Amino acid sequence: MASTTDTLASLPSTSTSSISTSTTSSKPLDPAYYTWSNFFSILTNTATPHARDEYFRTKDHLNEARDCARCDKDKAWLFSYSPIIRFMQHNIDLLGPDSGTASIKPENVRCRRCDTKQSGGFDGEYGILVCANHLRNRGHLEDTIAHEMVHAYDHLRFKLDPYDLRHAACMEIRASTLSGECRWTREFFTRNQWNLTQQLQECVRRRATLSVAARSSCKDEAMAGRVVSEVWDSCFTDTRPFDEIYR
């Protein structure tokens, strides 16, 4: 029987497209790509796309144990001391065991190496997957877990179909709005988005559109944008379980 980690990796996420983890990679590792020459060619923008991809794939393989250990340590700290993580955990617990899945606890937030570019994913049966090799720091992990916990709350609180694009768009709008990942400082310092007005709305709309566009039932980004616009007014203003946008 497959482990819960294997199963989580094989199931479609309700927050992103399917995420490949270290248990699903079959391509052999070639450490020859993880060299100083490749590193400097990436810095000078002379590396080929293949060399760039292989460099980072090899780096992630070699640093997998370190990345996951750091992720697990930071995860434990966040569940003890982060206001937003503790608040979301409390409100998920309030929904009760009859809501259909277990509460989100540190043990069902799993740090793994991922072969795709997502930071994490949520599955209603197995919990949250965090891509340890894509995390910049503890703050990035906090945003990622908070995002997925908003998905967990929505999964328990509402009758959502993750394969319905309108539902998916609403989930992504709420998660990007409430997790803090679209706050001004995050956009300004890590994503080079320097708008001074409507920055939050533009970030949420951009990230929700990209997430919906990545789903197999969505034809293209234009279709994703239309779906996001259809549900925008009701979903962006829905801040439950917060009284207002937290940060």
Side-chain angles (χ1 to χ4, degrees), residues 138-188:
R138 184 189 289 166
H140 188 193
L141 175 61
E142 182 179 40
D143 288 349
T144 300
I145 295 178
H147 180 111
E148 304 305 336
M149 291 181 89
V150 174
H151 285 325
Y153 178 88
D154 287 354
H155 173 77
L156 298 173
R157 178 67 177 80
F158 307 110
K159 300 292 185 180
L160 294 177
D161 178 0
Y163 299 103
D164 184 314
L165 290 182
R166 289 172 60 88
H167 290 187
C170 194
M171 292 167 64
E172 296 299 338
I173 290 169
R174 280 177 39 77
S176 291
T177 302
L178 301 175
S179 66
E181 65 188 4
C182 277
R183 62 190 179 276
W184 187 85
T185 53
R186 182 72 72 200
E187 282 284 275
F188 187 92

Side-chain angles (χ1 to χ4, degrees), residues 1-12 21 23-24 123 125-126:
M1 179 180 292
S3 67
T4 57
T5 304
D6 295 332
T7 308
L8 178 61
S10 67
L11 290 175
T21 67
T23 59
T24 64
D123 182 272
E125 185 174 356
Y126 296 107

